[in-house]
Amino acid sequence: MKKIAAFLYKLIYIVMAVVFVKLLLDILGRDFIPRTAGGSAWRIVQWMVGIVICFGFFWWLKKTQEIWERYGWAVLLVFLAVLFAAQLLLGNELRVNPLYDYSSIYHGAIDWVVTGTFERFYDYYYYYPNNLGTMTFLMFLFQVASRFGCTDFYFVGMLANSLLSVGMVAATYFVCKRLFTASEAVFSLVLYALYPPMYLMAAVFYTDHLTMIFPVLLYALYLCLDKSKGTVGTFGYAFAIAVLAVFGYLLKPTAVFMLIAVVIALFLAQKWKKLMAVLVTFFAVYLCFNLAFDSYIYGKHLERATAEQMNTPIETWVMMGLNENPGFSPDDTEFSRSIEQPQERKEAVREEIVKRIEGFGFGGMLEHIKNKGIIVFSDGTFELSYTFLFGFQKETKLQNTVTLLGENYNRYWDTCSSIWYVYLIFGVVCFVLMAVRSFRAGGIRPELLPVPLATFGLYCFLMMWEVHARYMVNFFSCFILLAVWGMSMLWGRKKEGR
């Protein structure tokens, strides 16, 4: 079993490295296409400056490591306070008028609190039950706030989003400190601090942003589980992982990819007791919660028979992802809904999927996957502009910068994407060095596997799904971790004189 596990480790790291090196080259190559020679040269300069700045910060943090070992927690608290305040202040400037899915979630939650039902949006949730979890979560928050006399529900949503965001930053710090040193932990704060969208996201409390904390927090709990000794500690951490994974899954299913990566890591490490603890507690929690949630929703609000008739089959999103423009397609939606019988609908969509794949051919499919990867992973703005285009509740000077039609948006996009590409470069370095080290004596520390593996899982899933740039947002913490680890590995090689 150990030989098989060693082989699988090597294979996994090689495949991940190859895929993400290819992805990075595709993204950087596409970035040059619309630019002049001078513009392309300037972009390269921006990336080089970003790399030098990151190296400079890391070098300084390593040279002053004793300070951060003693006072890193204070830096963390100050940054969390500043980030939280900045998000709320800027979020108040950027309040949008929710439309489409955002409206169904936000206004549905308000209706539920005020009238006791979300009847206005029943049809929406018959078609898209995947967003019931997020609406229920917001309804609960709004209900609690209303008990304290607060009726500014938009502020409540921003408050929750900001708290979850700073929680993500704190969890990232904890992970880096536990795996490496305080220097890496503080460096993760630097990467968050340099990233403009981190300050602008409070007003967009949609599924992608509400679940940003889950991957890194699940991983932090896994690290605690990995070090736990007794049965009580093992099942305690396994139960915490299960509850968090189920909650994240209900808000956005991709959040559970970290749990899958944890399960694979425990299997390859042959930690059978901890593996069984995680699996048993997860399925127990999921079954209990899902049974209770479904019984309530389909007993008090929606009709199960109608839901079975109207629910959009998951194959529809796969079909949308096979269009030349692989985002949401109204035409494909209408095609799916035009078939009355659910089983016939699924079969028709599956036939269309096969037809589109055959139409692409092998080479065309590879090119299509390449284009989808670029769409998802090349936008450094969290695609907040998509929601900002709904329109703001009040006039703000920021709209000239953060909305797609703003006169300063191209400059803003270039700035954000330049920083993002630098982080992505360090992340890819991490993938490559991990692949190299997997062939050396001792290999890679087994506890590091879940982060790159979950990120790779997200990539594989999105290459089969319909895509938007915001679909990678809830794994932003994983890319920060990969960038920190990439920098730390480069520093280690420098100290070794390689």
Side-chain angles (χ1 to χ4, degrees):
M1 180 63 190
K2 287 185 178 180
K3 289 184 178 179
I4 295 174
F7 170 77
L8 290 175
Y9 272 123
K10 293 182 177 67
L11 179 63
I12 289 169
Y13 279 117
I14 289 172
V15 170
M16 291 191 299
V18 169
V19 167
F20 277 92
V21 167
K22 174 69 164 55
L23 176 64
L24 177 64
L25 294 176
D26 289 341
I27 289 172
L28 298 184
R30 183 64 59 86
D31 189 82
F32 292 138
I33 289 178
R35 303 181 189 276
T36 62
S40 297
W42 174 236
R43 287 292 275 175
I44 294 173
V45 170
Q46 289 176 330
W47 302 336
M48 292 177 64
V49 169
I51 291 171
V52 169
I53 290 174
C54 287
F55 264 121
F57 266 117
F58 195 78
W59 175 85
W60 178 64
L61 291 171
K62 277 297 185 183
K63 292 298 182 182
T64 54
Q65 184 166 305
E66 291 184 1
I67 297 175
W68 313 120
E69 292 290 349
R70 295 179 61 186
Y71 301 111
W73 62 270
V75 176
L76 171 65
L77 292 178
V78 170
F79 178 63
L80 293 181
V82 170
L83 177 62
F84 180 70
Q87 284 189 345
L88 287 182
L89 288 172
L90 292 172
N92 196 54
E93 284 291 304
L94 296 171
R95 292 187 183 213
V96 302
N97 297 306
L99 297 175
Y100 311 123
D101 300 78
Y102 197 16
S103 172
S104 299
I105 290 173
Y106 174 68
H107 292 122
I110 292 177
D111 283 3
W112 200 350
V113 171
V114 175
T115 69
T117 180
F118 52 97
E119 189 173 2
R120 274 200 303 159
F121 300 95
Y122 277 2
D123 279 354
Y124 174 84
Y125 288 105
Y126 278 128
Y127 284 124
Y128 305 116
N130 55 296
N131 281 332
L132 277 167
T134 305
M135 181 187 63
T136 304
F137 173 59
L138 290 180
M139 181 277 294
F140 174 77
L141 295 179
F142 297 167
Q143 185 73 52
V144 171
S146 67
R147 296 290 175 86
F148 289 93
C150 176
T151 57
D152 185 354
F153 295 129
Y154 204 99
F155 175 78
V156 176
M158 290 196 304
L159 182 64
N161 202 18
S162 297
L163 286 172
L164 291 170
S165 175
V166 299
M168 172 189 68
V169 174
T172 306
Y173 182 95
F174 168 82
V175 166
C176 291
K177 179 75 183 298
R178 192 175 185 99
L179 290 173
F180 298 98
T181 70
S183 295
E184 280 84 359
V186 174
F187 184 62
S188 73
L189 303 183
V190 172
L191 298 185
Y192 279 122
L194 292 175
Y195 206 70
M198 281 297 298
Y199 303 93
L200 304 174
M201 55 180 281
V204 184
F205 42 92
Y206 193 54
T207 56
D208 310 281
H209 307 89
L210 289 173
T211 54
M212 289 177 73
I213 190 175
F214 287 92
V216 67
L217 192 54
L218 280 170
Y219 181 63
L221 288 172
Y222 157 75
L223 292 178
C224 295
L225 170 71
D226 193 56
K227 297 298 182 183
S228 64
K229 300 292 185 182
T231 301
V232 174
T234 294
F235 276 90
Y237 284 119
F239 180 74
I241 289 171
V243 171
L244 192 68
V246 170
F247 186 32
Y249 176 80
L250 289 171
L251 295 182
K252 192 172 185 68
T254 54
V256 84
F257 288 169
M258 182 57 76
L259 174 68
I260 297 172
V262 164
V263 167
I264 293 173
L266 290 172
F267 174 79
L268 291 177
Q270 302 170 60
K271 297 185 177 180
W272 309 120
K273 180 180 178 181
K274 292 175 181 178
L275 174 62
M276 291 306 298
V278 169
L279 290 175
V280 169
T281 52
F282 172 76
F283 284 114
V285 171
Y286 176 78
L287 290 173
C288 291
F289 193 92
N290 195 57
L291 178 63
F293 185 70
D294 277 11
S295 297
Y296 176 76
I297 291 294
Y298 294 102
K300 296 286 187 180
H301 296 283
L302 305 179
E303 295 180 2
R304 195 173 298 275
T306 306
E308 291 174 357
Q309 179 69 29
M310 295 177 62
N311 281 177
T312 303
I314 61 173
E315 291 91 343
T316 302
W317 282 276
V318 177
M319 180 174 66
M320 292 179 190
L322 291 167
N323 289 320
E324 185 176 342
N325 176 11
F328 180 83
S329 169
D331 291 338
D332 285 347
T333 302
E334 288 304 315
F335 170 76
S336 177
R337 293 179 185 177
S338 67
I339 304 169
E340 186 175 346
Q341 293 301 320
Q343 191 56 41
E344 290 180 11
R345 183 187 308 142
K346 282 194 174 195
E347 291 301 324
V349 172
R350 288 170 181 171
E351 289 176 7
E352 183 63 24
I353 289 171
V354 173
K355 187 186 301 183
R356 292 184 185 184
I357 292 174
E358 291 175 346
F360 274 115
F362 182 74
M365 198 66 208
L366 290 179
E367 183 67 18
H368 184 65
I369 291 173
K370 168 187 171 182
N371 292 332
K372 289 180 75 173
I374 293 170
I375 290 171
V376 177
F377 295 99
S378 66
D379 188 338
T381 69
F382 287 175
E383 206 186 23
L384 295 172
S385 60
Y386 172 80
T387 306
F388 291 154
L389 283 175
F390 293 169
F392 297 107
Q393 295 180 14
K394 63 179 181 180
E395 288 292 323
T396 173
K397 294 180 180 179
L398 290 172
Q399 67 187 30
N400 289 326
T401 300
V402 300
T403 57
L404 191 62
L405 303 179
E407 58 188 29
N408 300 321
Y409 183 75
N410 286 340
R411 190 180 307 164
Y412 169 74
W413 192 94
D414 277 355
T415 300
C416 293
S417 62
S418 287
I419 299 171
W420 165 240
Y421 294 167
V422 170
Y423 295 179
L424 194 57
I425 288 169
F426 284 118
V428 171
V429 166
C430 178
F431 277 110
V432 172
L433 292 181
M434 281 184 166
V436 172
R437 289 189 181 186
S438 68
F439 284 87
R440 292 182 183 165
I444 298 291
R445 293 160 61 183
E447 65 269 24
L448 295 181
L449 178 61
V451 172
L453 187 58
T455 309
F456 178 65
L458 176 71
Y459 170 86
C460 292
F461 171 77
L462 292 178
M463 294 308 99
M464 297 185 294
W465 210 248
E466 62 95 8
V467 295
H468 284 279
R470 59 183 172 82
Y471 287 178
M472 55 73 59
V473 168
N474 63 340
F475 270 70
F476 183 65
S477 60
C478 290
F479 285 100
I480 291 292
L481 287 173
L482 290 169
V484 172
W485 298 356
M487 178 67 81
S488 184
M489 289 179 178
L490 285 174
W491 178 263
R493 291 176 68 86
K494 174 181 174 295
K495 289 187 68 177
E496 293 170 5
R498 295 177 181 172

